[in-house]
Structures are given as structure tokens and as C-alpha cells.
Amino acid sequence: MHIERVPVEVPTRAPTGRTACYVVGDDGALLVDPPALDERIERYLDDVEHVAVTHHHPDHVGSVADYAEAADAAVWCRYGRERGFRDATGAIPDHTFREGTTIPTGDGDVTVRETPGHAPEHVAFEAGDDLLSGDLAVAAGSVVVGDPEGDVRAYLTSLRRVIAMAPGRLYPSHGPVIEDVRGTCERLITHRLDRERRVLAAVESGNRTVADILDFAYEKDLTGVRDLAGATVRAHLWKLHHEGRIEWDGARADPT
């Protein structure tokens, strides 16, 4: 199945400064995650019949309404998330999807795969042997899984699910196409569990504020990303709490 990748410069906390938009199919195509107006995307609009997003974060949805109208395309969103989708995109969905829903293109069906964790509504799109994976994975570095939207347990489950699916490649929203799917997912799982161990060790060492846990759990300079790291710590604390390994009520929520 033909996949066209268009990295678009857009305000984003991702290190690349760009979010990749994808056009799936040569005709009757599916447009995924149009983040901003870009003439390279507009070249494909005559072929676009469907528009969908992996999740609702601003750097993924900025031009959904514009391009859906310009292409007279059907708009899809996650079932049960219609209000959030409208608020994020300004577009009214024509159809909803859930796990296993197929979206037709001229090259064949694209299948929705639920991959929550980075965001509760996060999905990936299976196109032939490949997977458009949104913010599930990156070739280098890690993905933010931060409170209140992020769910570390769901994220780890999604990564393990993708390993079991064994797609040929991942087409992420940030950074290059991922050829080593298993290796990348396993690296991200290991990174998350290592961070969890450091957060737990911080708590067991007597740290009782997010700020203190943050300083204990991270050895690198957090200039410019301290808020994201704090949100990640809180997500790990919630996971540990739900597993009965610590007591956490969210009251110590603001890193300083």
C-alpha cells in the first residue's frame, strides 16, 4: 500500500519541530494527522476521500477542518471521543471508528488499531504490512506519557501489542520511519520500566514531592522540559498507586 510522508513544521514539543502527515493510497486516499496548511499536502487533495487523526493533540490536528472541506472528504474520529475531536479540530465527524474498523482506500482497506497510552484516544492505522503509529514510538529518544492524559500501563500494553502484530515498519509522527519495530518497542518498554524503578526508588528513599522525585529520578538537565518530566513522574506515580505499590492521591502534583 502506498504511503506518502509529509513532515510539516508546526509548534510542537517534539525535538524535530515537525509533525509528519501521511497520505495513504494513490486514490480514494486517507489523510492522517494534517498538522498545518502546507502546499505539499495540497498536491494530494484531489485523491483524498477520508481524513482521520491518531489523537487530538494540537500538533496533529491543526488542518483537519480545512483539508476535509477542501477535499470534500469524510471525517473520521474515535468512537466516544466525538466532543473532544470537535473541540480539537473544529470539524464534525461523519464516521466513528474503534478497534478493527476499516477505512477504504483505492489501495485497499486501512484498519484501525487502538494504541492508547500517550493519549487516551490514541490509535494507529494499519496499512498493508505497515503501521502509521502516531506518537506511540520514536526511532531515538522516548515518548512523553504524562499525567493527566498519559497512562503508563496502557502505553506499555500498546507497545507489547505492536510487537505481537509484527508490522514491517512504523511510520511515526516524529522522526524517521522505524524499520526495527521490535527493537524500538522493546527499547521504549525498557526505558519506561527503568524510569519507573527510579521513581519508585525516589519514593522509597523518602521523597514526598514531585519536585524531589523528579530530581532523584532524572540525571539529565531538564531545562525546557521540566514540566513534561514532571507530568511523566506523575503518570508513573499513578501506575505505581494503581498497582498497590505506593500510596498516591495526586495532591503533590506541581513540580517546582
Side-chain angles (χ1 to χ4, degrees):
M1 184 174 293
H2 182 72
I3 300 173
E4 196 70 35
R5 184 173 184 269
V6 184
V8 179
E9 291 189 10
V10 63
T12 175
R13 300 294 294 274
T16 63
R18 295 181 295 277
T19 297
C21 170
Y22 291 98
V23 181
V24 184
D26 288 317
D27 55 42
L30 168 64
L31 178 65
V32 176
D33 286 358
L37 297 175
D38 189 290
E39 63 181 12
R40 293 169 299 165
I41 299 174
E42 291 160 14
R43 297 171 190 165
Y44 299 100
L45 290 186
D46 287 345
D47 298 323
V48 169
E49 291 188 2
H50 308 274
V51 180
V53 300
T54 56
H55 61 297
H56 300 167
H57 288 171
D59 61 321
H60 292 253
V61 304
S63 292
V64 168
D66 292 318
Y67 285 142
E69 181 178 3
D72 192 25
V75 177
W76 294 73
C77 85
R78 173 70 173 83
Y79 176 80
R81 301 284 178 175
E82 295 90 338
R83 177 176 294 181
F85 178 86
R86 289 196 301 268
D87 291 345
T89 67
I92 298 173
D94 300 295
H95 308 287
T96 60
F97 54 64
R98 60 180 81 201
E99 168 64 29
T101 298
T102 56
I103 301 174
T105 78
D107 285 3
D109 289 345
V110 174
T111 304
V112 176
R113 299 301 182 197
E114 293 185 358
T115 51
H118 174 72
E121 73 281 358
H122 196 287
V123 299
F125 296 99
E126 186 177 25
D129 292 331
D130 301 318
L131 194 69
L132 279 65
S133 55
D135 282 357
L136 177 72
V138 286
S142 60
V143 171
V144 173
V145 183
D147 180 66
E149 286 195 325
D151 183 321
V152 177
R153 292 188 298 173
Y155 180 67
L156 293 172
T157 297
S158 293
L159 288 171
R160 291 173 179 129
R161 183 180 189 212
V162 168
I163 291 173
M165 289 172 57
R169 286 163 293 194
L170 299 183
Y171 286 82
S173 294
H174 307 289
V177 174
I178 297 168
E179 302 284 350
D180 181 7
V181 176
R182 172 178 285 274
T184 297
C185 291
E186 289 178 344
R187 175 182 63 80
L188 290 167
I189 290 169
T190 298
H191 171 78
R192 248 333 113 217
L193 294 178
D194 285 346
R195 182 68 66 206
E196 177 182 295
R197 281 190 284 271
R198 293 189 64 82
V199 169
L200 180 58
V203 174
E204 291 175 339
S205 296
N207 295 282
R208 290 295 178 265
T209 69
V210 168
D212 289 342
I213 295 168
L214 192 59
D215 291 336
F216 187 101
Y218 284 81
E219 297 176 342
K220 63 182 181 181
D221 181 7
L222 296 175
T223 301
V225 296
R226 189 172 177 84
D227 60 328
L228 298 180
T232 299
V233 165
R234 291 194 296 272
H236 278 288
L237 291 170
W238 280 122
K239 177 178 182 290
L240 291 166
H241 171 77
H242 289 311
E243 292 173 350
R245 299 164 72 186
I246 64 169
E247 291 296 324
W248 168 255
D249 62 5
R252 301 157 288 171
D254 295 324
T256 59

